[in-house]
Amino acid sequence: MQRIIEANIARYKALLVDETDATKRTMLGRLLAEEETALAAAKQTPAEVKKAY
């Protein structure tokens, strides 16, 4: 799960580099923040719970 979240974070960061449309940049920023929050939560979750997903 963490690898997917990390891949999403890298993708959103790469997309933000080239995007000039303000609306798209805002959406990418929100998506990036959500993924960073999800990554932090995933890192705090015990290993036993991770295996259940």
Side-chain angles (χ1 to χ4, degrees):
M1 184 69 155
Q2 283 184 338
R3 283 188 263 170
I4 294 169
I5 296 170
E6 290 168 349
N8 286 341
I9 289 171
R11 177 171 164 71
Y12 295 146
K13 285 181 178 181
L15 289 171
L16 277 169
V17 170
D18 295 328
E19 188 57 62
T20 58
D21 183 84
T23 304
K24 289 182 182 178
R25 287 186 61 79
T26 300
M27 180 56 71
L28 288 169
R30 286 183 191 155
L31 291 170
L32 178 59
E34 288 176 12
E35 290 297 308
E36 288 173 337
T37 301
L39 181 61
K43 287 183 176 180
Q44 291 178 352
T45 305
E48 297 81 33
V49 175
K50 290 181 190 177
K51 291 179 183 177
Y53 294 103

